[in-house]
């Protein structure tokens, strides 16, 4: 499971309206299942409220069968303690603000620490994994990043540090889910309602339609265990669903229909490549209302393939500050 956040634009209010606190953007947090990219639960509201209050509303959906992957915005003592109390495991990226003290160094380069000083009544034992990632782009550009991950998977034999660092990359499937909703489904359009109730309805409609398409793709693979869910194109799913609804084709077929259906058949006939290359692209400011600044050139302007090498280390002098969590 991966938790992350995004912002959706809404139409700008004209004059004084009850929804003034919602104007321009709203914050959406979702718990996404890695692999299927299905939504487990979601919370949304004004962007003026930070991530952690919304994240706490996702906690009831966690259980002992889950591993939560989350970014640095979710590195809070009380939140991590609540996740631990739910029975779920977590693997969360930490920032330079946290200065863990090593209580025990482990054989794989990670170490045991305790967090929650001055906040939790009982300190939470965690395992800290610090690593240097060397990223080599296709154009020969090389850059290094320092990562610190915090987890309650304390056994280094069952859960080696290098494997957990690799596993953390799957958190970006949540970003893929957001891209499907914001870019593929909304296609640049904004939420138009001029009331909070109307915005609630629009967001729930988007999430419901997204979940229905993901369910259709899962049904299509029921009899095809050889095909992973990552090969299903959400763009194809949406196009097939749009054609089916607008043309009223295959909605009331005269013959017996299996789980695959019209949308599933379209997805299976246009699968993504079996082995997809790792690609990276700069974060850029796409619209004038974005809170993010334009790309300063520290990342490539165009998408490129890349390779990454991970070296587990111990940062004796702490973690370098970074501009993006």
């Amino acid at each position: 499971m991966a938790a992350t956040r995004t912002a959706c634009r809404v139409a700008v209010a004209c004059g004084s309206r009850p929804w003034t606190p919602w104007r321009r953007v709203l914050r959406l947090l979702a718990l996404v299942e890695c692999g299927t990219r299905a939504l487990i639960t979601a919370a949304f509201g004004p962007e003026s409220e930070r991530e952690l209050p919304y994240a706490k509303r996702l906690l009831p959906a966690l259980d002992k069968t889950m591993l939560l992957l989350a970014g640095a915005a979710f590195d809070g003592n009380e939140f991590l303690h609540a996740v631990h109390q739910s029975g779920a495991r977590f693997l969360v990226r930490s920032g330079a603000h946290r200065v863990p003290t090593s209580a025990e160094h482990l054989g794989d380069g990670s170490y045991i620490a305790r967090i929650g000083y001055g906040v939790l009544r009982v300190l939470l034992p965690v395992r800290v994994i610090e690593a240097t990632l060397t990223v080599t782009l296709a154009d020969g550009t090389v850059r290094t990043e320092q990562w610190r991950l915090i987890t309650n998977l304390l056994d280094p034999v069952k859960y080696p540090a290098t494997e957990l660092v690799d596993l953390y990359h799957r958190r970006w499937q949540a970003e893929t889910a957001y891209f499907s909703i914001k870019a593929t489904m909304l296609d640049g359009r904004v939420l138009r309602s001029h009331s909070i109730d109307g915005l609630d309805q629009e967001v729930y409609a988007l999430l419901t339609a997204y979940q229905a398409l993901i369910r259709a793709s899962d049904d299509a693979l029921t009899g095809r265990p050889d095909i992973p869910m990552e090969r299903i194109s959400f763009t194809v799913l949406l196009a097939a669903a749009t054609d089916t609804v607008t043309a009223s084709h295959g909605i009331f077929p005269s013959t017996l229909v299996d789980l695959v259906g019209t949308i599933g058949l379209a997805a299976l006939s246009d699968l993504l490549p079996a082995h997809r290359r790792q690609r990276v692209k700069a974060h850029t400011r796409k619209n004038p209302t974005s809170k993010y600044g334009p790309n300063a050139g520290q990342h490539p302007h165009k998408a490129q393939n890349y390779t990454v090498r991970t070296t587990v280390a111990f940062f004796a002098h702490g973690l370098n500050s970074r501009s993006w969590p």
Side-chain angles (χ1 to χ4, degrees):
M1 305 296 160
T4 187
R5 78 278 193 246
T6 191
C8 295
R9 288 186 294 161
V10 301
V12 179
C14 298
S16 177
R17 293 181 179 271
W19 63 288
T20 298
W22 286 66
R23 66 185 181 188
R24 294 200 181 276
V25 293
L26 64 83
R27 191 182 299 279
L28 170 66
L29 270 76
L31 192 63
V32 179
E33 183 181 40
C34 295
T36 65
R37 301 191 302 278
L39 297 176
I40 305 301
T41 187
F44 58 89
E47 196 202 19
S48 57
E49 195 167 357
R50 301 298 298 171
E51 289 89 349
L52 283 177
Y54 290 115
K56 292 177 181 178
R57 292 161 56 181
L58 308 181
L59 289 172
L62 298 176
D63 61 43
K64 63 181 181 181
T65 66
M66 299 180 181
L67 170 64
L68 176 69
L69 308 178
F74 302 91
D75 179 20
N77 292 321
E78 293 179 335
F79 177 71
L80 295 181
H81 180 262
V83 174
H84 182 74
Q85 290 296 107
S86 73
R89 304 302 181 186
F90 61 79
L91 181 62
V92 176
R93 190 170 180 181
S94 181
H97 70 281
R98 186 181 290 282
V99 187
T101 300
S102 173
E104 178 187 357
H105 285 274
L106 304 175
D108 64 346
S110 61
Y111 59 91
I112 300 295
R114 290 173 175 79
I115 62 174
Y117 289 95
V119 178
L120 304 177
R121 295 182 60 183
V122 179
L123 297 180
L124 177 64
V126 296
R127 182 165 153 231
V128 181
I129 302 170
E130 296 176 339
T132 299
L133 273 67
T134 303
V135 180
T136 304
L137 304 181
D139 63 2
T141 303
V142 178
R143 72 169 188 266
T144 59
E145 301 177 9
Q146 287 186 340
W147 278 29
R148 176 189 288 144
L149 302 178
I150 295 180
T151 180
N152 56 352
L153 297 170
L154 304 181
D155 191 338
V157 178
K158 289 184 178 180
Y159 314 105
T162 53
E163 291 186 9
L164 291 181
V165 173
D166 291 340
L167 177 64
Y168 182 78
H169 282 283
R170 295 184 69 84
R171 183 184 73 87
W172 287 99
Q173 293 200 21
E175 303 295 343
T176 303
Y178 281 139
F179 184 87
S180 298
I181 295 171
K182 293 174 62 178
T184 308
M185 296 180 70
L186 282 176
D187 193 23
R189 296 184 295 271
V190 300
L191 305 180
R192 299 166 296 174
S193 298
H194 286 197
S195 68
I196 291 179
D197 290 341
L199 288 171
D200 283 351
Q201 187 177 36
E202 283 192 81
V203 174
Y204 282 125
L206 274 172
L207 299 181
T208 301
Y210 171 83
Q211 190 77 335
L213 291 174
I214 293 297
R215 179 62 183 269
S217 64
D218 183 67
D219 288 344
L221 297 179
T222 299
R224 300 292 303 274
D226 57 311
I227 301 177
M229 188 71 171
E230 288 89 343
R231 295 193 62 191
I232 296 293
S233 168
F234 187 84
T235 302
V236 173
L237 288 173
L238 181 62
T242 302
D243 292 343
T244 300
V245 172
T246 56
S248 300
H249 172 67
I251 297 179
F252 299 105
S254 57
T255 58
L256 184 64
V257 177
D258 59 16
L259 281 176
V260 177
T262 304
I263 299 174
L265 287 174
L268 290 175
S269 65
D270 194 4
L271 294 172
L272 295 172
H275 301 287
R276 305 181 69 183
R277 296 170 294 179
Q278 298 184 106
R279 294 177 68 80
V280 64
K281 188 178 184 298
H283 292 284
T284 58
R285 185 171 62 187
K286 300 179 178 63
N287 62 78
T289 64
S290 173
K291 66 180 181 180
Y292 302 112
N295 176 35
Q298 70 272 26
H299 297 293
H301 291 275
K302 296 182 179 179
Q304 294 187 39
N305 298 332
Y306 71 93
T307 58
V308 60
R309 186 178 76 254
T310 302
T311 304
V312 176
F314 173 66
F315 301 144
H317 301 289
L319 192 68
N320 293 336
S321 298
R322 53 196 174 90
S323 59
W324 178 252

